[in-house]
Structure formats: C-alpha cells, structure tokens
Amino acid sequence: MNTCDAALPAERFAKSRRLAGLRERAERVHQTLAEASPTVVVGGKRLWRTRNHLAEAGLSKDQWRRAWDSARMFLTADGEIGKAGGNETLRVEPGTGLLRIKVPAALADRFGTHLTIRTPAGIARLAQSGAGGVLSSAR
C-alpha cells in the first residue's frame, strides 16, 4: 500500500467533518438572518483577545470586564440634512438633553412611536450646521 493511499481515507474523513461543520455554521447564519436578529459586536475583537492574556495586558478580570462593558455602551446616529433636529430616529431634546428614540413600526403597538431615555445623554460629538446642532454621536 502506498503512503498516499493510506492518507486518503483520513483526509477524506477530516474534510467531510469540516464540511459538516461549515454547513451547520451556515445554517445558523441563515436562521439568524431569517429571524432578523444578527449578533453584532462593534470593536470587540481586541478586547476579547485581551481577555485571554490579562497578565500581558496588565489587567485584572474586573478591570477587563469594566472595559468590555463600557465599550458596548454607545449609540450612534448620522444626521440628516433638512430634518429638524438632524435625525428622525434618534434625537437629543434641546435644553433637557433627554434622548428620544423612534420605535420600529413592528414594536410601536407595545411601546408607542417614541421612547424617551430619562437620563440626559452625554454627547461625544455635536456637529454644527446652519440649523443648529446636529447629533452625530452620543454616549
């Protein structure tokens, strides 16, 4: 028996297992997309990798967890020229600083057309336009 012939069944088995895993992964992606609930983690790759090397990063588990949680506490919205307040979906109310969020139509019967966050929003960047401040990013 040739050594190449002996490798074929093992190689075929390994490739069939890899294919089965990829098919299962693709099915999960298709199901997630069909449910319209994709998982998105913005800017988490570096922090996640740091979690596995806390000593090298000079962090404790608690320090890492605080950094991880705070990296996920953000909200952004691009302004729309010509719209009062800059954006119909997300607005910071003038004077009060309260955040007003437009609710998707599918949830409007449960929550109403808008939600107001009762804690004033901290604004990371406010671009000025002829019509006043336009919210471009909030934290």
Side-chain angles (χ1 to χ4, degrees):
M1 180 183 248
N2 188 337
T3 56
C4 289
D5 294 336
L8 287 177
E11 185 178 345
R12 189 175 303 124
F13 177 77
K15 287 183 178 183
S16 69
R17 294 306 318 139
R18 172 82 172 132
L19 179 60
L22 289 172
R23 284 183 175 153
E24 182 180 316
R25 187 172 163 192
E27 179 57 36
R28 283 195 312 264
V29 168
H30 289 296
Q31 183 177 3
T32 299
L33 290 173
E35 293 170 357
S37 62
T39 303
V40 178
V41 178
V42 179
K45 189 175 190 178
R46 185 179 342 145
L47 262 177
W48 181 249
R49 289 186 176 161
T50 301
R51 173 63 180 90
N52 296 319
H53 306 283
L54 292 175
E56 293 171 24
L59 295 172
S60 69
K61 277 186 178 180
D62 289 339
Q63 290 171 319
W64 176 85
R65 174 53 73 182
R66 281 194 299 275
W68 176 263
D69 290 342
S70 98
R72 266 132 205 81
M73 292 299 294
F74 72 95
L75 185 62
T76 62
D78 294 330
E80 300 174 39
I81 294 176
K83 298 288 182 182
N87 190 304
E88 290 184 359
T89 306
L90 179 69
R91 291 186 184 173
V92 174
E93 297 293 333
T96 64
L98 298 180
L99 188 62
R100 186 169 180 237
I101 303 168
K102 186 174 183 180
V103 174
L107 299 174
D109 59 333
R110 282 179 55 193
F111 300 104
T113 58
H114 291 82
L115 293 175
T116 301
I117 307 301
R118 298 282 176 206
T119 302
I123 300 173
R125 187 177 76 202
L126 190 62
Q128 294 298 321
S129 70
V134 177
L135 179 67
S136 58
S137 179
R139 260 189 198 258

